[in-house]
Amino acid sequence: MENADTIAAVATPPGRGGIGVVRVSGKDIKSLTLKVVGYVPEPRYASLSKFYDEDGQVIDQGIVLFFPAPHSYTGEDVLELQGHGGPAVMNLLLSSCLSAGARMAQPGEFTLRAYLNNKLDLAQAESVADVIDASTSEAARCAMRSLQGEFSSAIHVVVRALTDLRISVEASLDFSEEEIDHVHHADVSHKLKSVQAQLEHVLASARQGSILREGIWIVLVGQPNVGKSSLLNVLAGEEAAIVTEIPGTTRDTIHRTIEIEGVPLHLLDTAGLRETDDAVEKMGIARTRSTIEKANFVLLVMDSRWGITSEDRAILDSLPSGLPVIYVYNKIDLLDKSSLIEAGNGELEIYLSAITGAGIETLRQKLLELAGWQPRSVGEGAFMARQRHLRALTATREYLGNAAELDKEEFQSELLAEELRLAQQALSSITGEFGADDLLGEIFSRFCIGK
């Protein structure tokens, strides 16, 4: 793809820093480079240069790098100006580039051009933002694997296998009069099962990556003064919330993110749920109920001395239907009771002490288990997947399941071919590749159909 205009932007975060970078990309930016730098640098060599404004005055001095097309991030000519990282200097340098013929880049436009110029596929392009936004070291490594193309490669393996299966089915339908070796029904079934198995492996890895990317949102709810804030503090490893004996101390939602085995856990301590005439506390309770709607899990914190009370059951009844709840009985130190886990009637109960730390590690591991996180050896092969990727993989699984059912019946080849087409369409949406013309090309490249 060719873009008529040249774009420029500050590529480093706002604020003061030792170094700041202005990036420029366009079809031919040599004339802009001459105006801002005074000469066109040797490709891919760092040069110490002066930077000039539109009046020829020196703005700054720093490193200039020139990457001619197509060997650049965007696939276009790219110029990087590395100067001193003060906001005023960066603004002057950017203004000079704009005066020399560039325009301000839109958010993500450099990566968009990289995708449109076939430097990255869609999954890799999304991984650029995931690397930047990664909240844990494990998430950063996972995002980098996706950026380097491991996720896309895994998708391509399944797409190739699915293409091979579609060729076998569709060629026999569309070109039945030609001299083509028809694939037996058993062979089609075998190939279909193989594709399904490959997809399940990719889906499992993608789900692990989604946990790393999104994290787990956990809301602590319960009556006032049962130890929610103390539990948040011990899980977070810091005094994130004020702890007192006065009910209603927590008036607003407190958010802390912790890391367990590389997985980000977003902990939300909320105002105690109770009837109150305090206007400020009422606002906190309203925010609590709004926060609960977004949670993956709810920790219902209770005082182990009293067990589950009618007030606790009222809180349970107010929670959204289907939201997983872990029953946490706190303050076992006051009962001289050891920590333990009990499961009754399908409900998980954890006994612990936020003061002594007894049972805290058990709670951490149970949260990972309930979220679907696998051991580190599995997580190391995870792909940084977004919700759209999971939806596409799940849709592909459904289409393949439909195809498997049709494969059991006779004279259903047309419907089987359609389910396989939909499966490939859903799967290929992850990387933004493959269409009907691609399948036709594959068919003609493998079979001597016409003369």
Side-chain angles (χ1 to χ4, degrees):
M1 173 184 174
E2 293 186 357
N3 295 282
D5 52 357
T6 298
I7 57 173
V10 178
T12 42
R16 290 178 173 80
I19 297 173
V21 178
V22 171
R23 176 183 286 174
V24 186
S25 179
K27 183 180 178 182
D28 184 0
I29 60 174
K30 291 182 179 179
S31 60
L32 180 147
T33 305
L34 286 171
K35 294 176 182 177
V36 177
V37 181
Y39 66 100
V40 177
E42 186 176 353
R44 289 175 292 281
Y45 278 87
S47 304
L48 179 63
S49 303
K50 293 178 180 179
F51 305 142
Y52 301 93
D53 62 15
E54 58 271 26
D55 298 322
Q57 301 296 313
V58 176
I59 300 171
D60 194 15
Q61 180 174 279
I63 300 297
V64 59
L65 287 164
F66 176 58
F67 303 93
H71 306 296
S72 69
Y73 177 71
T74 62
E76 305 171 328
D77 286 351
V78 170
L79 180 70
E80 288 195 359
L81 306 170
Q82 303 178 9
H84 296 90
V89 174
M90 288 291 100
N91 287 335
L92 286 172
L93 192 51
L94 178 59
S95 295
S96 178
C97 293
L98 299 179
S99 298
R103 67 163 173 82
M104 280 290 296
Q106 298 297 317
E109 191 170 0
F110 287 94
T111 302
L112 173 62
R113 291 192 177 195
Y115 164 68
L116 294 174
N117 289 319
N118 298 316
K119 306 298 287 188
L120 301 169
D121 62 32
L122 276 181
Q124 289 175 294
E126 289 167 318
S127 296
V128 173
D130 292 334
V131 170
I132 296 170
D133 294 335
S135 58
T136 69
S137 56
E138 186 65 28
R141 285 192 287 266
C142 181
M144 182 52 66
R145 285 195 292 271
S146 293
L147 178 58
Q148 291 177 329
E150 291 187 23
F151 185 27
S152 300
S153 296
I155 296 296
H156 291 154
V157 169
V158 184
V159 167
R160 282 195 294 270
L162 187 51
T163 301
D164 184 63
L165 175 58
R166 287 188 64 198
I167 289 171
S168 300
V169 174
E170 296 202 17
S172 62
L173 287 173
D174 297 337
F175 306 102
S176 57
E177 297 180 359
E178 303 293 336
E179 296 179 358
I180 302 174
D181 292 329
H182 289 271
V183 180
H184 294 296
H185 178 267
D187 191 30
V188 170
S189 299
H190 174 74
K191 287 183 177 181
L192 179 54
K193 289 178 181 178
S194 177
V195 172
Q196 287 179 299
Q198 292 176 31
L199 180 72
E200 288 301 319
H201 178 74
V202 174
L203 182 56
S205 296
R207 282 175 173 160
Q208 295 295 287
S210 179
I211 294 173
L212 282 176
R213 181 180 184 275
E214 305 290 343
I216 307 167
W217 291 85
I218 304 164
V219 177
L220 285 67
V221 301
Q223 298 182 65
N225 209 29
V226 293
K228 297 188 301 300
S229 296
S230 297
L231 182 57
L232 172 70
N233 287 343
V234 71
L235 287 171
E238 60 175 304
E239 294 296 319
I242 299 173
V243 178
T244 74
E245 296 296 324
I246 304 172
T249 300
T250 302
R251 301 297 185 93
D252 202 355
T253 300
I254 299 173
H255 175 205
R256 286 293 182 274
T257 297
I258 64 173
E259 176 183 343
I260 302 177
E261 294 187 14
V263 178
L265 270 66
H266 307 289
L267 302 173
L268 297 156
D269 182 22
T270 60
L273 296 174
R274 65 169 183 168
E275 295 297 326
T276 179
D277 294 326
D278 187 303
V280 177
E281 190 177 354
K282 280 185 176 181
M283 293 176 64
I285 292 172
R287 290 189 179 185
T288 292
R289 299 196 183 281
S290 175
T291 301
I292 291 172
E293 297 285 344
K294 306 172 185 177
N296 298 112
F297 298 103
V298 166
L299 299 186
L300 176 59
V301 185
M302 297 166 284
D303 192 320
S304 60
R305 294 174 295 176
W306 321 126
I308 186 166
T309 66
S310 59
E311 289 83 359
D312 295 321
R313 294 193 183 281
I315 292 174
L316 278 174
D317 292 339
S318 69
L319 297 177
S321 176
L323 182 61
V325 178
I326 302 175
Y327 298 78
V328 177
Y329 292 91
N330 190 24
K331 303 186 180 182
I332 62 171
D333 54 293
L334 300 179
L335 293 176
D336 193 25
K337 184 177 182 180
S338 61
S339 63
L340 54 88
I341 295 179
E342 294 182 358
N345 299 322
E347 298 174 347
L348 179 63
E349 301 176 348
I350 299 181
Y351 291 78
L352 53 78
S353 171
I355 299 299
T356 66
I360 296 299
E361 185 58 31
T362 300
L363 175 60
R364 288 193 178 106
Q365 295 305 315
K366 185 57 64 174
L367 289 172
L368 289 180
E369 179 184 328
L370 293 174
W373 180 248
Q374 299 297 319
R376 183 172 296 274
S377 59
V378 177
E380 287 175 355
F383 306 124
M384 187 59 78
R386 298 184 170 215
Q387 287 302 312
R388 83 166 188 91
H389 302 151
L390 294 180
R391 286 194 297 269
L393 290 168
T394 302
T396 303
R397 173 204 259 178
E398 293 177 358
Y399 291 131
L400 291 178
N402 295 339
E405 291 299 318
L406 292 168
D407 185 50
K408 298 175 183 178
E409 305 177 15
E410 295 183 3
F411 310 115
Q412 298 291 338
S413 297
E414 291 86 355
L415 296 177
L416 171 62
E418 176 62 11
E419 293 295 337
L420 294 177
R421 184 190 70 81
L422 292 173
Q424 185 162 352
Q425 185 180 63
L427 189 61
S428 298
S429 69
I430 294 175
T431 58
E433 299 170 334
F434 209 94
D437 290 341
D438 297 303
L439 180 62
L440 193 61
E442 287 282 349
I443 291 175
F444 277 93
S445 68
R446 297 193 187 191
F447 298 93
C448 296
I449 294 173
K451 291 186 177 179

